[in-house]
Amino acid sequence: MKLVEPPSCSSPSTIVLIGRNHRGQWVAQEQNGVYGGLFVSRAQAVKYALFENGQHPETIVELPREIELDMGKSPNTVVSQRAA
């Protein structure tokens, strides 16, 4: 059985932001909102970010300020913005 890479990993140069939200939970989110999640620990947020971005630690940015998970963006909107 061949494993297929998830579609969110198609661009290894994508920036993934990690940091804490106002409740103290760890957030990992792709800069355009294509993927993201809430985590109990920084280690789990980083692990998720590495999985999603194809193991590129240089594209993970830890923010010193609060970050809130925003999954309200439509992936089709993001694709349209990239094409422009």
Side-chain angles (χ1 to χ4, degrees):
M1 181 174 146
K2 183 178 178 183
L3 295 177
V4 179
E5 194 171 289
S8 58
C9 294
S10 60
S11 177
S13 62
T14 301
I15 303 296
V16 182
L17 306 172
I18 67 168
R20 289 182 179 252
N21 66 11
H22 72 282
R23 294 182 178 167
Q25 300 163 313
W26 283 91
V27 174
Q29 184 163 357
E30 189 271 338
Q31 66 182 349
N32 295 316
V34 175
Y35 57 83
L38 292 174
F39 304 89
V40 175
S41 69
R42 179 185 180 277
Q44 289 298 312
V46 171
K47 182 178 178 179
Y48 171 79
L50 287 170
F51 172 78
E52 287 291 345
N53 76 8
Q55 302 299 316
H56 293 277
E58 69 278 6
T59 65
I60 298 173
V61 176
E62 187 170 347
L63 300 175
R65 60 177 171 76
E66 285 185 352
I67 177 176
E68 298 298 329
L69 183 63
D70 180 10
M71 299 303 292
K73 298 178 183 178
S74 168
N76 293 334
T77 303
V78 174
V79 171
S80 297
Q81 290 173 351
R82 287 184 189 164

